[in-house]
Amino acid sequence: MLDKRRQGGDPGWLPVPLGRNSVDFTHEPGGVVHVRPTEPLPPYPDKLTERLLHWAEVAPDRVYMAERGSAGGWREITYAEALAHARAVASALVARGLSAERPVAILSGNDLDHAMLVLGCLYAGIPFAAISPAYSTVSADFDKLRYIMAKLTPGLVFASDVEAYGRALDAVVPADVEIVVSRGEGSRAATPFADLLATEPTDAAEAAHRTVGPDTIAKFLYTSGSTGNPKGVVTTQRMLCSNQVMLRETLAFVKDEPPVLIDWLPWNHVFGGSHNCGLVLFNGGSLYIDGGKPTPAGIPETLRNLREIAPTVYFNVPKGFEELVPRLKADDALRGQFFSRLKMLFFAGAGISPAVWKAMEDLAVETIGHRVPILTGLGATETAPFAMVCDLEHAGAGRVGLPVPGVELKLAPVNGKMEARVRAPSVTPGYWREPELTAAAFDEDGYYRLGDALRLADETDPVKGYVFDGRINEDFKLSSGTWVSVGPLRADLVSRFAPLARDVIVAGLNRDEIAILIFPDFDALARLAPGLSGEALLADPKIRSVFAERLAAAARAATGSSNRVARALLLAAPPDIDRGELTDKGTISQMAVLASRRDLVEELYAKPYSPRVLVA
C-alpha cells in the first residue's frame, strides 16, 4: 500500500468534530477539589425508545443491527423491523404481567434475538438483566448465577441456545419461571422466542410504553463480583438518555454521520450494552455483531468481519488493540479497509500500553496520512458509564481527562490520595435490593464514590486533566509504613513483561518488600520455547531467564521501596472465575487472587527462597 505519511513534521489528526471540555476548579478546606463543567448538559429524551421511534420514521430501511447468518452472510434488521419487533415482544411481555419485581433475565451472548428482547423490554418498561454468559458456561458450580437469580426473582428467563445454557437453566431457574429459548430442546418445556416475535401488538403495550419515564428502571447490570457477590446496578432511562447526550456532545461527528460499529463487547457489561448499543440507537447508526474476541481463537472471526465492514468508530479493550496491531501491519488490504472511514478509536476497561498506542497512530498515518483520534476516559457501571474523557491535545496512556458536561467531579483526600467521586443524572440511584451497599456507595453530599484515585497530569496546568492513580482499596503499606500504589505499579509491570505476562498481582502488605505473582501468557511463551506447554514452559531455563532479566530491569528502574519488586513467582494455574479471581470482563482481581492463593504469597516470602521464585 502507498505510504501516505507526510514528509516531515507532525502528520496531525484526522479532522473530526469532537467536543471540548471547559471546567472550573474549586478548592475547599480540607483539600477537597470540585471540578465542574462550564457548559450545561443539553436536554435529553425521557426514554431511549423515543430514538427508536424517530429513526424508524426518518430512516426505516437503514440497518439497525446485523449478525452472521448460518450461510455466512449478514442477517440484517432495519429500524422499521426493529420497531415492529419491539412492539410485538413488548405485547408478549406485558401480557405476562412482568415488572421490576419479576423482570426478564437474559442468558445469552450478543445476538439479534437478545437485541430484540431488550428493545421489547425497553418499550414495555419492564426491566431486564443480561447476565454474564461465563456464570452459566464457564462456572462449575453456578454459585454466582444462583445468587443473582435469587436476588433478581425473574418472571421470565431467556436463553439463546439450550445446548450452551441448559445445565445452568436446570440448576438455577425455579420450576414456576417461564423459559424462552431461540433454539434447542432441553429437559424442561420452553417457549420459542419466535412466539414472542409473532405476538400481535396490543393497546396494553402501547399504554405501558406511554408510562415509561426518566425514572423507570431500564435494566439491572450485575458487576463482576470479584471481591464478593455480584451487585445489581439499577440503570434508569434517565441514566441511559443523559449519558448518550454526554457522549454525543463529545463525539460530535455522530451528529453528522450515523456511527457504524463492528463490535464484540459483551452486552452484559456497561461498555458494550449501554455505551455502544446506546450510541448506535441514539444516533441512528448500525451495529454489526462481531462473533470474535481478542483471543487467539477469536481473532480470526474479528478479522473476517473487519475485512467486510469498515467501522466509523472502533471500540475495544486494550487487549483487542494488542491483537489487532500485528495483523494490521501484516495485511495491507485489511489495514486499508479498517482505516477507510474510521473517525476514532476508543478503549476502556484497562490502560493501554504506550507502544500499542503509538503503533495504532503510526498505522493510521501510513494508511490515510493522519493520526486517528484515540480517546479514553473514566467511568463505571454505576455512571452509565461515560463520565470523564481526554481531549486530543492531552490524551495519552493512563490519562482520563476531565468531567463531561452534566457530570460534577469531586476529589476527596483518602489515605494520601485523591478519590474520585461524581454526581450526575447518569449516576445510578443504587444497587437492587441492597440498601446497605447503596448507602455506602455515596458520600454525605450524594456523590458516588468511584473508588479510583486520580492526580493531575500537570500540577501547573490543571486543564491537562487527570491521570488514573490506582484503586483506593488495592493500595497497601509495607512494614516500613511506605504506601504502595498498586494500580500504576501493576500497569508498569505488565508493560515491562509484555507480551509474556497476561497480568501481575502485587503482594507486600505489612512485608519488608514487594513481590509479585505473574499470570503468564502461555501462547506468547510457546513461541519462545516451541514444543513445550504448561508447567514445562514455566520451568524452561530460557523462559525463566527472560523473566529474570525483566524483573531485574524493573528493580533497577525503581525509585524506592514503594515500586521496587524483589521477587516473582510464575503461576501455572489460570485465574478461576468461581473463586472470583477472573471477572466476567476477563480482568483479573488483585484482591481475590491474593486471598485465594495465600500459600503462594507465603512461598514468595519464605526463606530460604523456593527454587521456583525469581529474585531480582
Side-chain angles (χ1 to χ4, degrees):
M1 177 173 287
L2 178 65
D3 187 343
K4 297 182 180 179
R5 185 182 295 274
R6 293 181 178 182
Q7 298 299 310
D10 188 333
W13 284 293
L14 188 71
V16 176
L18 294 172
R20 293 182 62 87
N21 285 5
S22 174
V23 299
D24 285 330
F25 293 85
T26 305
H27 295 262
E28 296 182 354
V32 172
V33 179
H34 286 274
V35 188
R36 297 182 176 93
T38 58
E39 295 296 322
L41 179 66
Y44 49 87
D46 287 344
K47 49 197 169 195
L48 198 57
T49 47
E50 289 184 27
R51 302 301 290 169
L52 175 61
L53 291 166
H54 170 80
W55 294 113
E57 179 180 355
V58 171
D61 298 325
R62 182 181 300 162
V63 172
Y64 163 58
M65 201 171 283
E67 68 179 359
R68 287 282 182 190
S70 56
W74 290 99
R75 175 192 167 203
E76 300 174 340
I77 291 180
T78 66
Y79 274 92
E81 291 168 335
L83 177 58
H85 290 327
R87 284 174 166 155
V89 173
S91 299
L93 299 179
V94 168
R96 285 164 167 79
L98 302 175
S99 66
E101 302 302 319
R102 298 178 63 251
V104 172
I106 299 175
L107 309 185
S108 173
N110 301 359
D111 62 37
L112 289 182
D113 285 356
H114 181 163
M116 294 307 103
L117 178 56
V118 165
L119 288 183
C121 288
L122 292 172
Y123 200 88
I126 295 169
F128 66 93
I131 300 168
S132 170
Y135 293 163
S136 300
T137 60
V138 176
S139 173
D141 56 23
F142 304 124
D143 277 356
K144 290 190 175 181
L145 180 63
R146 186 175 289 106
Y147 175 86
I148 291 172
M149 288 294 187
K151 186 69 69 172
L152 198 61
T153 62
L156 182 149
V157 176
F158 168 78
S160 57
D161 187 344
V162 174
E163 182 176 349
Y165 297 97
R167 287 182 58 246
L169 292 171
D170 291 343
V172 305
V173 179
D176 60 345
V177 174
E178 181 181 10
I179 293 174
V180 174
V181 301
S182 292
R183 55 191 174 274
E185 293 184 5
S187 60
R188 289 176 52 176
T191 304
F193 183 71
D195 288 1
L196 274 62
L197 291 176
T199 304
E200 287 292 326
T202 63
D203 292 341
E206 295 302 318
H209 185 246
R210 288 192 292 271
T211 67
V212 176
D215 295 316
T216 300
I217 298 173
K219 60 180 172 178
F220 307 107
L221 277 167
Y222 276 85
T223 58
S224 300
S226 56
T227 58
N229 286 318
K231 298 178 291 187
V233 178
V234 175
T235 303
T236 65
Q237 291 284 346
R238 185 189 309 279
M239 291 170 63
L240 295 175
C241 293
S242 65
N243 207 238
Q244 283 304 318
V245 172
M246 295 172 189
L247 190 55
R248 178 180 169 90
E249 291 302 301
T250 301
L251 313 184
F253 62 89
V254 300
K255 299 178 183 179
D256 305 317
E257 180 182 359
V260 176
L261 275 62
I262 176 74
D263 191 46
W264 70 271
L265 290 158
W267 294 344
N268 59 287
H269 295 157
V270 72
F271 190 9
S274 295
H275 186 286
N276 293 359
C277 287
L279 180 73
V280 168
L281 180 57
F282 204 90
N283 298 286
S286 302
L287 192 155
Y288 290 81
I289 298 171
D290 177 12
K293 281 188 177 181
T295 63
I299 195 69
E301 178 63 17
T302 291
L303 300 179
R304 173 195 183 194
N305 294 330
L306 287 174
R307 289 188 176 97
E308 295 183 23
I309 306 298
T312 62
V313 55
Y314 191 66
F315 297 98
N316 216 323
V317 295
K319 179 64 175 175
F321 288 109
E322 290 173 17
E323 293 288 341
L324 197 56
V325 162
R327 276 83 177 185
L328 292 174
K329 286 181 177 179
D331 191 329
D332 287 353
L334 173 66
R335 188 168 69 248
Q337 169 79 344
F338 181 74
F339 285 105
S340 62
R341 57 178 180 175
L342 190 67
K343 303 295 189 298
M344 189 195 70
L345 300 165
F346 193 107
F347 71 90
I352 199 169
S353 75
V356 171
W357 186 300
K358 185 176 186 303
M360 291 303 299
E361 286 191 333
D362 288 347
L363 287 166
V365 173
E366 291 173 9
T367 309
I368 60 174
H370 295 275
R371 286 180 288 165
V372 171
I374 303 176
L375 293 186
T376 191
L378 184 69
T381 305
E382 291 85 348
T383 65
F386 197 60
M388 297 179 67
V389 73
C390 290
D391 60 30
L392 287 184
E393 288 79 6
H394 307 123
R399 297 197 174 191
V400 299
L402 294 166
V404 297
V407 175
E408 299 175 79
L409 172 67
K410 175 182 179 181
L411 293 157
V414 177
N415 295 338
K417 290 193 172 186
M418 299 296 283
E419 183 189 32
R421 305 173 183 181
V422 292
R423 189 167 63 184
S426 53
V427 170
T428 182
Y431 301 108
W432 185 239
R433 294 172 172 167
E434 298 280 10
E436 292 183 1
L437 290 177
T438 297
F442 295 87
D443 72 7
E444 65 280 2
D445 297 317
Y447 285 80
Y448 171 71
R449 304 172 186 265
L450 281 167
D452 295 320
L454 304 181
R455 59 178 172 82
L456 286 170
D458 185 343
E459 293 286 346
T460 66
D461 188 3
V463 173
K464 291 182 180 179
Y466 287 91
V467 175
F468 177 70
D469 198 24
R471 294 284 296 171
I472 293 289
N473 65 352
E474 289 183 347
D475 293 350
F476 60 83
K477 284 183 179 181
L478 297 171
S479 60
S480 63
T482 300
W483 275 104
V484 176
S485 183
V486 170
L489 177 59
R490 199 173 166 189
D492 177 67
L493 292 169
V494 169
S495 179
R496 288 181 181 278
F497 286 111
L500 305 181
R502 178 180 175 185
D503 208 337
V504 301
I505 303 301
V506 180
L509 174 64
N510 296 327
R511 307 276 189 171
D512 294 338
E513 297 174 303
I514 297 170
I516 59 173
L517 301 171
I518 301 175
F519 284 103
D521 187 318
F522 282 98
D523 293 315
L525 297 188
R527 291 191 283 270
L528 292 180
L532 298 180
S533 61
E535 301 235 15
L537 265 176
L538 302 187
D540 181 74
K542 181 179 180 180
I543 296 294
R544 290 182 60 80
S545 175
V546 172
F547 275 105
E549 289 171 3
R550 298 195 185 187
L551 180 65
R556 289 193 298 270
T559 58
S561 61
S562 67
N563 60 2
R564 185 186 186 278
V565 178
R567 289 176 289 284
L569 182 63
L570 302 176
L571 300 178
D576 187 333
I577 192 170
D578 287 328
R579 293 194 293 181
E581 295 180 340
L582 183 68
T583 74
D584 61 291
K585 299 175 185 176
T587 57
I588 298 173
S589 166
Q590 158 91 8
M591 296 176 70
V593 172
L594 291 176
S596 63
R597 307 200 188 202
R598 292 187 183 93
D599 57 330
L600 298 181
V601 173
E602 292 301 325
E603 185 175 349
L604 278 168
Y605 289 97
K607 291 183 180 180
Y609 297 130
S610 161
R612 299 197 306 164
V613 172
L614 300 170
V615 182

